[in-house]
Amino acid sequence: AVSYVIFYLIPPGVCSLLNPSTIYANNEVNLEEVDIYGFDYDYTLALYSSALDEMIYNKAREFLVQHYKYPEGISKYDYIPNFATRGLHYDIQKGLLMKIDAFHYIQLGTVYRGLKPVPDDEVMKLYGGSNHVPLHQVSGFYGKGPKMKQFMDVFSIPEMTLLAAANDYFISNDIEYDPVHLYKDVSDAIGMVHIKGYMYKWIIGDETYAVLHRLASHGKKLFLITNSPFSFVDKGMKYMVGKEWRDFFDVVIVQADKPHFFNDCVKPFRRLDSNGDLQWDRIKSLDKGQIYKQGNLVDFLKLTGWRGSKVFYFGDHLYSDLADLMLRHGWRTGAIVPELEVETKVVNTEQYAQSLTWLQALTGLLERMQMYRDPESKKVLQEWLKEREELRAVTKNLFNPHFGSIFRTCHNPTYFSRRLCRFSDLYMASISCLLNYDLSYTFYPRRTPLQHEAPLWMDQLCTGCMKTPFLEEMAHIR
């Protein structure tokens, strides 16, 4: 009966709606007004294969054992590819990895100590009888609270996995340890992995050249601000774009020390010569063909005169790349979210459409029928609640069996998702999505109804599955 009902609830074509090459708008943006395009390097201009995560994990694990003299047994823990997801919080003192929603509630069923889930009742006990984590503990502006750390960049996947493995080793072998020391040591080990020299071997996607060429040939100014050292960026860019990659850029800044680059005005710019050695001259202009190190945004704005919404900056880290630029300086910001590709594929499956549609229908039934208090009705309501829980588990497992989707808890946006909407005008799976749009294109955010508003579009009157109008007109997107 359920599948029969769902057949009529799901509009035809719903399962092939979303296109992973689409650019999504949180805010209205007219590219016609953008004259200057800026980029981060790692995971923005350079996308890496997932094989890199395993290499980082292996090197850091080796470092823990050899240099920090951690027990040899940790070496037996191989990398687990789909264990962690981006945007998770880690309780440094308790050694717990978890997913938190936009309202600071821990999503029960997504709390892990080591590699094992922590039962819901134990989570409630650990957090004083509630699964709510107070604001001051969750995180400061840049995702670091006194007791919690939010893992926001794509590089943090191997770090979370190594933390889980090391915690698991100590717990399984009944060895006493301090989780705070472990957190610091793993963090240092990941930082000490000398991957920078040969990471370019893991670069995937060859469309960076096409994006830069298209922007430059339309007379746009281009700049690069990255925390990576010049030798590393140079290797990767030569590999992706060619020997003359610097010709595309009007300003290149390396070892910028973001987010401090954007919110401090202390460090002056220094020039590097062609060998990458530091020069001592005072910087009075930022010239094409030169490489600059450190610096700060105040000086950058003074020297370039590039201000406000004619500047568009793309990066993968919501805090250190985008937050200050949007909130303090009014630049346009684009978030690169590689996970969109995989998550879109899941959302496009019939199984997901059916589960979500029935979940929405069940929730509507529960809402309307809850006033019936007779024993028989109560029994039916209990069965519906149980079925709703089971469906939630099914939809969560379609994305990641441990933590689910990076964008949603059961029904709320995640902490990550809320920050994504707050700090980015547009978001997309990769920089190459720009190739699908004309450089005078205007992105319009969908007007999804607020809770007190009537849903006036037919697709929103359905089941919440179809939220994208005019999709046939977007069929040109690859």
Side-chain angles (χ1 to χ4, degrees):
V2 169
S3 56
Y4 181 75
V5 172
I6 289 173
F7 179 77
Y8 284 100
L9 280 177
I10 299 180
V14 74
C15 296
S16 54
L17 266 184
L18 295 176
N19 189 317
S21 297
T22 306
I23 292 178
Y24 299 98
N26 293 319
N27 195 7
E28 193 169 309
V29 176
N30 181 359
L31 292 185
E32 187 91 72
E33 294 167 5
V34 178
D35 299 327
I36 303 126
Y37 285 79
F39 302 92
D40 176 33
Y41 176 70
D42 284 313
Y43 285 103
T44 300
L45 288 177
L47 286 180
Y48 299 97
S49 95
S50 53
L52 177 65
D53 288 343
E54 185 170 357
M55 194 272 284
I56 294 171
Y57 174 91
N58 290 342
K59 290 270 181 197
R61 183 190 57 190
E62 200 179 291
F63 195 86
L64 273 186
V65 173
Q66 289 178 5
H67 294 269
Y68 283 12
K69 308 301 176 200
Y70 270 60
E72 189 63 49
I74 289 175
S75 301
K76 294 191 172 67
Y77 282 79
D78 288 333
Y79 181 65
I80 308 163
N82 297 314
F83 176 70
T85 60
R86 198 150 62 114
L88 298 177
H89 280 78
Y90 183 73
D91 188 317
I92 295 164
Q93 293 168 326
K94 295 184 176 79
L96 300 173
L97 194 60
M98 67 192 74
K99 189 159 96 173
I100 294 182
D101 76 9
F103 300 94
H104 301 183
Y105 283 92
I106 299 164
Q107 185 185 355
L108 295 174
T110 68
V111 181
Y112 278 74
R113 182 185 284 118
L115 297 168
K116 295 178 185 67
V118 181
D120 296 350
D121 55 345
E122 194 183 330
V123 174
M124 301 292 272
K125 260 189 226 144
L126 283 166
Y127 289 93
S130 165
N131 60 326
H132 183 266
V133 184
L135 173 67
H136 67 278
Q137 281 185 24
V138 174
S139 64
F141 190 70
Y142 295 105
K144 287 178 190 166
K147 297 180 180 175
M148 291 265 191
K149 148 92 179 177
Q150 189 183 13
F151 285 103
M152 286 300 261
D153 63 11
V154 190
F155 281 127
S156 54
I157 304 277
E159 185 173 347
M160 288 184 265
T161 312
L162 185 55
L163 270 170
N167 273 307
D168 199 80
Y169 174 82
F170 286 125
I171 294 161
S172 308
N173 291 283
D174 217 9
I175 299 168
E176 203 179 313
Y177 72 108
D178 187 330
V180 179
H181 297 329
L182 174 63
Y183 167 74
K184 185 167 184 333
D185 293 345
V186 168
S187 180
D188 289 350
I190 294 279
M192 291 298 289
V193 174
H194 296 302
I195 48 176
K196 299 270 164 153
Y198 45 94
M199 262 176 63
Y200 70 94
K201 293 176 187 169
W202 276 269
I203 289 173
I204 50 169
D206 51 0
E207 294 188 293
T208 303
Y209 174 86
V211 173
L212 298 177
H213 182 267
R214 186 156 176 255
L215 293 171
S217 64
H218 280 77
K220 305 297 180 185
K221 302 268 186 203
L222 304 182
F223 66 93
L224 177 68
I225 301 178
T226 173
N227 284 353
S228 295
F230 175 68
S231 57
F232 170 59
V233 175
D234 189 44
K235 253 187 187 141
M237 290 299 277
K238 278 177 178 163
Y239 180 83
M240 287 184 292
V241 178
K243 254 188 207 151
E244 311 305 317
W245 68 268
R246 281 158 62 185
D247 293 351
F248 281 121
F249 291 94
D250 294 85
V251 179
V252 175
I253 297 158
V254 296
Q255 288 172 280
D257 192 25
K258 296 176 292 183
H260 305 296
F261 180 90
F262 295 129
N263 57 41
D264 288 348
C265 42
V266 182
K267 288 180 182 166
F269 283 106
R270 291 196 72 172
R271 195 166 57 81
L272 301 177
D273 67 11
S274 53
N275 298 322
D277 294 324
L278 279 173
Q279 302 302 289
W280 51 88
D281 50 330
R282 191 173 184 164
I283 304 303
K284 293 179 185 146
S285 60
L286 296 173
D287 302 324
K288 187 165 181 160
Q290 299 294 333
I291 303 296
Y292 299 94
K293 179 183 168 177
Q294 291 176 341
N296 64 82
L297 191 67
V298 173
D299 287 350
F300 180 87
L301 297 173
K302 267 186 211 155
L303 295 171
T304 59
W306 296 343
R307 292 180 181 278
S309 55
K310 65 177 183 178
V311 188
F312 207 135
Y313 186 78
F314 295 84
D316 70 296
H317 198 300
L318 301 182
Y319 296 131
S320 65
D321 282 326
L322 309 180
D324 285 307
L325 293 175
M326 163 165 280
L327 300 180
R328 296 173 204 248
H329 300 284
W331 286 15
R332 295 301 197 176
T333 55
I336 304 301
V337 187
E339 294 91 343
L340 270 171
E341 197 160 331
V342 174
E343 296 229 354
T344 300
K345 280 178 185 155
V346 173
V347 172
N348 280 341
T349 60
E350 200 164 324
Q351 191 184 0
Y352 177 83
Q354 288 186 355
S355 299
L356 188 69
T357 306
W358 188 234
L359 194 56
Q360 298 283 74
L362 261 180
T363 306
L365 284 168
L366 281 161
E367 186 177 35
R368 285 195 291 279
M369 308 306 281
Q370 61 186 320
M371 61 283 296
Y372 293 97
R373 301 291 181 201
D374 59 282
E376 207 173 325
S377 297
K378 277 185 173 174
K379 188 168 174 275
V380 172
L381 283 165
Q382 280 310 311
E383 283 170 8
W384 284 348
L385 280 166
K386 187 167 173 282
E387 190 176 351
R388 186 170 176 244
E389 282 308 305
E390 286 164 2
L391 270 174
R392 281 174 163 181
V394 166
T395 48
K396 173 190 154 193
N397 290 344
L398 290 173
F399 294 99
N400 174 294
H402 310 105
F403 300 102
S405 163
I406 73 166
F407 299 103
R408 274 198 184 279
T409 56
C410 298
H411 46 269
N412 289 334
T414 53
Y415 200 88
F416 173 85
S417 208
R418 183 59 59 87
R419 292 295 181 274
L420 178 67
C421 293
R422 183 74 187 90
F423 300 147
S424 67
D425 290 292
L426 305 179
Y427 64 99
M428 64 211 78
S430 77
I431 209 79
S432 63
C433 297
L434 279 170
L435 296 169
N436 298 311
Y437 297 87
D438 190 84
L439 289 179
S440 57
Y441 189 90
T442 300
F443 293 93
Y444 295 99
R446 304 203 293 270
R447 185 180 169 122
T448 48
L450 298 170
Q451 296 298 322
H452 66 277
E453 293 176 326
L456 296 174
W457 285 342
M458 264 323 290
D459 62 335
Q460 288 161 343
L461 281 167
C462 297
T463 57
C465 286
M466 290 182 80
K467 287 257 177 152
T468 313
F470 322 124
L471 265 149
E472 282 66 32
E473 290 164 34
M474 294 170 74
H476 68 283
I477 295 174
R478 304 167 284 179

